[in-house]
Amino acid sequence: MADSEPWLTIIGIGEDGWDGLIAPARAAIQAADSVMGAPRHLSLLPRQGRAERIVWPVPFADGVPMLLERRGERVVMLASGDPFWFGAGSVVTRHLEPGEWVAYPAPSTLSLAAARLGWPVETIRSVGLHARPVETLRPHLAPGRRVLALMRDGASVTGLAAWLVEQGFGDSTLTVLEALGGPRERVRRAVASALDWTDIVHPVAVAIEPAGEGCVLPRASGLEDNWFDHDGQITKRPVRALALSALAPRPGELLWDIGTGSGSVAIEWLLSDPTTRAVGFERDPARLARAAANAARLGVERLELVEGDAVTSLADRPHPDAVFVGGGLSPQLVDALRTLPHCRLVAHGVTLETEALLAQCHSRFGGELLRIELARARPLGTKRGWKASYPIVQWRVAW
């Protein structure tokens, strides 16, 4: 094999097996020294050729070193459908240099499902539940949405139906799509509350049309406080909306939420875009566990949580694009955050001591200082009156 040739060929294979492969993919398999894939993928190939057949192990990550050991040989890796749509392609190629590999995708489950359903692909929200918790769907449950979920097996499909009932979306229509593109293909529909099939086969996906009386997760900043389990340590809805507006999340950005409490600010940051990231720092282990549960329930399990003192916990971590300090700002923390390059900071203070510190920081480092005073209408005898909350001072700065 010439040094300039890719040594790895990644081939997407559908349920139609060898017959569905394009000519370059067939040629790569016939010329390969070894072919790696799951047993189901290997069984779709005819018993011919000289290539050694190697079963990809479980868990998937264990197979990557096995693959890399064959660098320099002619190796074919088999994957389902399009290897770069919720597939194994990106997991493998992150370990390779450009020019080491070439890929030949097959039609993805998304495109096959859209063709069966008559749904425009651009209107479908796709979710990989074969490797993620079912709660990942939570932000997408709204009447009128079209969601396609890749599932692990038949049991996960019935589990999805039961979870939708629990969330108040038992009226959702589920289209179960099994073994698309091959001789075993089957497409069936049922309402979530009535789906009890025990003969669902792998590979399987479910098209979801949400319906029911369940609560729809709003997309604007400032969710109602009852979306979060908390012990009172929460940035309340109006103040949280102002904090998130000041933080101004952008796609791909990383937030540090220092003193995360219930995790509400970090969670809403993550809900703003699927590419955002967040780390929550919290000393109290009970609050840390509560924040983790809130994140999982609202479908943003990617929230990273760190227990410990903020100043000592910040070391050796990827630099954030934005930092939120909901309380407990100290001169030491300010000094630590000042070392971060190209960062936006939003800090809140309620006590006189923290308010004084924020005023000093504003004088020294600039930015914007905002005093937030809120009052709610409450019963006052037989009438109503305003009950004021503690004023909050917000310092917003970028450096």
Side-chain angles (χ1 to χ4, degrees):
M1 186 178 73
D3 291 340
S4 60
E5 293 182 26
W7 63 270
L8 174 65
T9 303
I10 303 171
I11 296 177
I13 189 165
E15 290 298 300
D16 50 359
W18 180 263
D19 293 338
L21 297 179
I22 61 174
R26 291 186 181 186
I29 293 172
Q30 291 171 332
D33 297 313
S34 57
V35 178
M36 298 183 65
R40 182 174 64 85
H41 296 145
L42 294 173
S43 70
L44 294 170
L45 299 181
R47 284 287 178 183
Q48 62 182 36
R50 63 182 182 86
E52 177 188 4
R53 297 191 176 205
I54 302 170
V55 174
W56 198 284
V58 177
F60 181 85
D62 291 351
V64 176
M66 295 171 54
L67 175 69
L68 298 180
E69 287 174 359
R70 289 166 172 77
R71 185 184 261 116
E73 302 177 13
R74 295 182 186 272
V75 182
V76 165
M77 172 188 165
L78 300 177
S80 295
D82 184 345
F84 294 92
W85 185 72
F86 291 116
S90 59
V91 178
V92 170
T93 55
R94 71 172 64 125
H95 300 279
L96 304 175
E97 298 294 331
E100 286 193 274
W101 57 274
V102 65
Y104 300 112
S108 67
T109 301
L110 174 63
S111 61
L112 290 172
R116 302 299 184 269
L117 299 167
W119 291 0
V121 170
E122 68 272 14
T123 68
I124 304 172
R125 181 67 185 182
S126 54
V127 182
L129 296 186
H130 57 307
R132 302 181 70 185
V134 69
E135 288 82 5
T136 305
L137 278 177
R138 195 61 188 83
H140 312 301
L141 294 183
R145 292 298 301 268
R146 289 171 167 174
V147 184
L148 181 70
L150 294 182
M151 307 303 296
R152 185 175 59 255
D153 51 29
S156 67
V157 175
T158 54
L160 165 65
W163 179 81
L164 287 169
V165 173
E166 292 174 2
Q167 301 300 310
F169 290 91
D171 293 337
S172 301
T173 298
L174 304 185
T175 304
V176 180
L177 307 121
E178 303 165 74
L180 289 178
R184 299 183 301 130
E185 178 176 314
R186 182 167 57 177
V187 178
R188 295 182 284 176
R189 287 180 175 81
V191 174
S193 58
L195 194 152
D196 58 357
W197 303 327
T198 59
D199 60 344
I200 301 171
V201 300
H202 178 79
V204 59
V206 178
I208 307 165
E209 298 171 82
E213 300 301 321
C215 294
V216 175
L217 193 61
R219 303 317 300 256
S221 298
L223 296 178
E224 293 289 345
D225 296 346
N226 58 15
W227 281 99
F228 306 96
D229 182 23
H230 62 90
D231 61 358
Q233 185 73 10
I234 183 174
T235 303
K236 300 295 194 296
R237 180 185 61 80
V239 177
R240 190 179 339 113
L242 290 170
L244 286 156
S245 175
L247 288 166
R250 302 165 189 166
E253 287 193 327
L254 171 64
L255 170 73
W256 283 358
D257 183 7
I258 298 176
T260 194
S262 67
S264 61
V265 170
I267 289 170
E268 290 212 43
W269 171 282
L270 293 172
L271 286 169
S272 69
D273 190 89
T275 65
T276 52
R277 297 166 294 143
V279 181
F281 300 89
E282 178 58 59
R283 296 180 183 180
D284 188 325
R287 287 175 178 164
L288 209 65
R290 192 176 291 114
N294 284 332
R297 188 173 62 256
L298 295 179
V300 287
E301 79 287 349
R302 67 186 187 278
L303 173 61
E304 180 184 350
L305 294 165
V306 178
E307 181 180 349
D309 176 77
V311 176
T312 58
S313 300
L314 302 181
D316 302 322
R317 293 190 170 275
H319 288 164
D321 301 286
V323 177
F324 177 66
V325 184
L329 190 70
S330 66
Q332 294 79 12
L333 182 54
V334 173
D335 291 340
L337 297 176
R338 284 282 299 169
T339 66
L340 300 173
H342 311 296
C343 180
R344 307 188 299 278
L345 169 65
V346 174
H348 285 183
V350 177
T351 66
L352 291 175
E353 290 78 8
T354 305
E355 183 174 336
L357 174 60
L358 293 176
Q360 292 171 9
C361 290
H362 176 251
S363 177
R364 291 178 59 194
F365 307 120
E368 180 182 84
L369 204 61
L370 178 68
R371 185 179 173 90
I372 305 165
E373 299 192 51
L374 298 171
R376 297 177 183 273
R378 292 288 187 265
L380 185 63
T382 59
K383 300 183 184 298
R384 292 171 298 152
W386 293 109
K387 182 175 177 59
S389 303
Y390 286 112
I392 294 172
V393 174
Q394 180 191 88
W395 177 43
R396 178 175 66 169
V397 68
W399 49 68

